[in-house]
């Protein structure tokens, strides 16, 4: 299954046996006070800096969230996207729970963008899927519903099925829905990892769609989070994940190594290039 | 399938859904001139230092190789083991291609040790398996034979089957054979990773025995080898590997993170303990 996205001039195809796609997560004011303050002041230069550094580090797509206290997302999301696309060529992933903000952002986003996200709640599917369909965008579907995030892979799988059926019903093809099986903090639930990995396997084997991973939640509250996040990527990719919303500045080396080990990087060309790029940054 | 090994006082059980077993690789003169020189001089204190530091870093078993130019393995292997077991409680993995050295080492090794290794060559099986049987030890079986290491998972699987059959014929039970599917350098063969991973899957699914990984070869000749080795461990454990001969000083954090993510470390107790241990070392 191929999910093809386009930005102003470059396109990205997410698929199982191709190099893994990194969706840069850093344009998000949650946990970034400097970004929150600059968005409030309608100063978008810092967001542009975050875009540049993530693309340089290997992001194929940029997630853009402007959700912070006091920020009018309906106004700010399209403004940030407009400024970004003056310079940025890659596809945009519009990240908001706010349908109005998504619609406004989708109007100015170039090419075929990605929407983050819909979930299995009735009100979410009713609000978000028509906006995605109108714009012929793709969408990330989270495996949660009115009852929260099930602690059970079969239930998460059922929600994925429901989102795909509902999307199909209004004309969004299967390849334009990327399922995110969600991952909770392993520090508070020993089963958090295996439930997510099992959901990835089920979705990959039975639905065949692309699978996104929010790769950083898993380590929440634990020491040396990076080691856990790195390890989780390998397990998730082995299970069938094809893209991740994550920090390319930290995780690109591991992702390039995984591509290499899975036979997706002939003569280690991209892995070596990434090592050289990092070495040049350090000097 | 459980492979139970014992040392002077501690025992280790290698099995699929238990914490991953680290076999410390550092008592090996290949690439360690200081160790080669000290063995030649019959000075075994440095080997003892390497034993201590690896156990502290999480090795459950210690591989012991004394193969270096000028070293009489038949004399030195048992001498080193005798010195080690004065202090070291964990099971020993005797590492030599020399049947005489293995037999001499097995005489002094306590408990139920591991032998590294037999392979699918007739002369190897004839020389090594009877020694293993006489001592009631366990053995690592490498998936190579007279034609070398096949670049094909099905052929490596057939060699694993052959070693297990031959072992069974002389009375070595299946659980005392650990298959090592071997890994070649990914830098010179893009398929090296997937052939090994596919062999692990085949052996795990169809033979059910424990699977060892020599986790460091894969990155030979490439920059930032550690990132590749870390990534490979995750893929190999997902495929079914249950132990690895590797450097615990470098790879224990990743292995503890993988155990945690696979639900084998309740409340992250061992992961957090490992983080604290490392933090205390740095101070």
């Amino acid at each position: 299954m191929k999910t093809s996205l386009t930005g102003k001039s470059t396109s990205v195809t997410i698929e199982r046996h191709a190099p893994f796609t990194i969706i840069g997560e850093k344009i998000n004011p949650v946990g970034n006070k400097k970004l929150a303050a600059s968005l409030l002041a309608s100063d978008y230069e810092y967001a542009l800096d975050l875009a540049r550094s993530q693309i340089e580090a290997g992001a194929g797509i940029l997630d853009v969230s402007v959700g912070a206290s006091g920020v009018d997302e309906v106004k700010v999301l399209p403004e940030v996207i407009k400024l970004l696309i003056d310079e940025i060529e890659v596809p945009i992933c519009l990240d908001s729970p706010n349908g109005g903000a998504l619609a406004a952002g989708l109007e100015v986003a170039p090419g075929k963008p990605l929407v983050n996200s819909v979930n299995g709640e009735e009100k979410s599917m009713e609000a978000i899927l028509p906006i995605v369909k109108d714009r012929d965008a793709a969408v990330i579907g989270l495996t949660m519903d009115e009852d929260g995030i099930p602690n059970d892979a079969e239930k998460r799988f059922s929600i994925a099925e429901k989102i795909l059926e509902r999307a199909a019903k209004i004309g969004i093809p299967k390849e334009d829905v990327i399922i995110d099986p969600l991952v909770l903090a392993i520090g508070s639930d020993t089963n958090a990892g295996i439930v997510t990995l099992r959901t990835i396997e089920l979705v990959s084997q039975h639905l065949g769609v692309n699978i996104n991973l929010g790769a950083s939640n898993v380590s929440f509250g634990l020491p040396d989070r990076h080691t856990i996040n790195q390890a989780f990527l390998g397990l998730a990719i082995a299970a069938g994940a094809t893209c991740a919303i994550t920090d390319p500045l930290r995780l690109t080396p591991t992702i390039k190594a995984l591509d290499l080990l899975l036979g997706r990087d002939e003569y280690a060309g991209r892995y070596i290039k990434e090592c050289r790029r990092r070495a040049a940054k350090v000097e």
Side-chain angles (χ1 to χ4, degrees), chain A:
Chain A
M1 184 90 44
K2 293 183 183 187
T3 304
S4 294
L5 301 168
T6 50
K8 202 171 68 181
S9 69
T10 66
S11 65
V12 168
T13 300
I14 304 171
E15 61 179 313
R16 175 98 195 231
H17 296 287
F20 193 78
T21 301
I22 303 169
I23 305 173
E25 72 182 0
K26 293 179 76 80
I27 304 181
N28 189 327
V30 174
N32 185 339
K33 283 182 189 166
K34 181 175 168 188
L35 182 60
S38 71
L39 292 173
L40 258 177
S42 297
D43 170 5
Y44 307 140
E45 276 304 315
Y46 179 49
L48 188 57
D49 286 348
L50 291 171
R52 287 184 193 118
S53 60
Q54 290 184 96
I55 290 169
E56 193 199 337
I61 298 172
L62 287 182
D63 188 83
V64 180
S65 164
V66 298
S69 169
V71 172
D72 176 7
E73 287 195 58
V74 179
K75 172 178 164 284
V76 173
L77 186 60
E79 283 180 358
V80 171
I81 291 173
K82 268 195 266 184
L83 183 92
L84 288 178
I85 62 174
D86 269 352
E87 185 176 321
I88 299 305
E89 311 288 338
V90 306
I92 302 290
C93 175
L94 298 92
D95 183 351
S96 176
N98 179 331
L102 290 172
L106 284 168
E107 262 182 44
V108 300
K112 179 168 183 138
L114 182 59
V115 168
N116 181 13
S117 58
V118 70
N119 66 55
E121 288 183 82
E122 281 303 321
K123 66 172 192 225
S124 169
M125 293 190 292
E126 278 167 26
I128 307 296
L129 292 178
I131 298 171
V132 172
K133 168 62 187 165
D134 282 351
R135 178 60 177 76
D136 188 26
V139 65
I140 294 176
L142 310 180
T143 59
M144 58 183 284
D145 62 11
E146 287 79 1
D147 298 325
I149 303 174
N151 196 12
D152 175 306
E154 280 70 25
K155 285 188 187 152
R156 291 193 199 177
F157 174 79
S158 300
I159 298 174
E161 270 189 313
K162 181 173 73 174
I163 295 171
L164 281 160
E165 280 165 18
R166 198 63 69 89
K169 207 169 268 180
I170 66 162
I172 301 172
K174 207 173 166 183
E175 61 263 30
D176 283 344
V177 182
I178 297 173
I179 294 297
D180 184 329
L182 297 170
V183 61
L184 298 173
I186 191 103
S188 44
D189 177 3
T190 305
N191 286 317
I194 49 184
V195 170
T196 299
L197 293 168
R198 179 76 187 129
T199 307
I200 294 174
E201 283 172 2
L202 288 173
V203 171
S204 175
Q205 285 166 19
H206 299 291
L207 302 175
V209 296
N210 279 302
I211 297 168
N212 178 63
L213 197 70
S216 319
N217 296 340
V218 70
S219 58
F220 184 79
L222 288 171
D224 192 1
R225 294 185 60 174
H226 184 54
T227 297
I228 299 173
N229 295 344
Q230 280 181 304
F232 195 56
L233 266 171
L235 296 175
I237 292 176
T242 51
C243 56
I245 299 185
T246 192
D247 180 356
L249 280 74
R250 299 214 69 183
L251 284 172
T252 295
T254 294
I255 288 168
K256 298 290 176 201
L258 288 162
D259 279 338
L260 171 63
L261 291 163
L262 291 166
R264 304 170 187 173
D265 182 9
E266 197 125 27
Y267 305 114
R270 285 194 305 275
Y271 180 76
I272 291 170
K273 196 174 155 196
E274 166 63 16
C275 289
R276 288 199 181 127
R277 189 190 66 75
R278 271 180 296 145
K281 289 285 277 189
V282 173
E283 274 161 19

